[in-house]
Amino acid sequence: MKILVLNGPNLNMLGIREPEIYGRTTYKDLVDMIGKHCAESGIEVECKQSNHEGDLVDMIHQAYFDKVDGIVINPGAYTHTSVALLDALKAVQIPTVEIHISRMNEREAFRQISYVSYYACERIIGKGIDGYIEAIDYLVKHV
Ligand code: CA2
């Protein structure tokens, strides 16, 4: 089983700013945690992050050519704006779990829309960084 974990804009800043919303775990800690969990579970995993919408689209396309079995995506702010990410996911037809660290449903009105949710087979919201592990395990169980 091969999984791609994709993080969008500003998530490279995890643990550095706004710890009251996103916690104190850094992006490197997150990648290490995911790597450890996947190694223990015999899952091949790659973690990628970009602050650029087109790069994220390219990474989703590449997942198709790399024969990735499942995608875990936190699109960051592109969650609320990007039809391009939704279309890329629809194009590659790879099972995808959407994850958000914060309880975005309880935040500003503009965070209530998620374009990616129109494709995602599961959504994990507000469970902190543990949500990434839950998302991976969901894919392992259902794909
Ligand atoms: O809760 C989430 O995971 C979000 O996807 C995070 C996005 C936000 O735009 C979404 O509404 C919800 C923002 C990511 C910003 O990450 C930062 C991390 C640390 C410091 C500053 C920003």
Side-chain angles (χ1 to χ4, degrees):
M1 172 123 203
K2 202 169 171 179
I3 289 178
L4 171 66
V5 179
L6 212 47
N7 277 291
N10 295 308
L11 286 155
N12 55 312
M13 298 299 282
L14 274 179
I16 298 172
R17 299 256 178 223
E18 299 189 81
E20 67 286 1
I21 300 177
Y22 301 112
R24 295 197 179 274
T25 305
T26 65
Y27 178 72
K28 185 186 176 302
D29 293 339
L30 173 66
V31 171
D32 290 348
M33 183 187 86
I34 291 169
K36 189 168 175 283
H37 178 75
C38 289
E40 285 165 3
S41 312
I43 303 160
E44 196 181 328
V45 70
E46 194 170 11
C47 296
K48 295 184 177 178
Q49 188 274 334
S50 176
N51 295 318
H52 306 279
E53 189 174 17
D55 286 350
L56 292 164
V57 169
D58 289 343
M59 288 170 183
I60 292 168
H61 293 172
Q62 191 57 45
Y64 172 81
F65 296 109
D66 292 345
K67 299 192 176 355
V68 164
D69 300 300
I71 296 175
V72 171
I73 187 166
N74 183 346
Y78 290 140
T79 305
H80 318 298
T81 61
S82 182
V83 178
L85 287 183
L86 170 63
D87 285 347
L89 291 169
K90 284 168 106 172
V92 299
Q93 286 292 309
I94 298 171
T96 297
V97 177
E98 174 186 3
I99 183 257
H100 299 282
I101 298 167
S102 68
R103 281 185 263 181
M104 64 171 196
N105 291 350
E106 297 170 17
R107 297 175 66 191
E108 302 93 327
F110 64 81
R111 293 188 205 274
Q112 309 310 315
I113 285 180
S114 164
Y115 286 93
V116 164
S117 73
Y118 286 88
Y119 178 76
C121 56
E122 179 66 323
R123 304 179 77 206
I124 295 166
I125 298 170
K127 296 190 174 176
I129 59 152
D130 292 344
Y132 287 89
I133 302 299
E134 194 175 320
I136 290 166
D137 290 346
Y138 179 93
L139 286 171
V140 170
K141 199 168 167 194
H142 292 90
V143 173

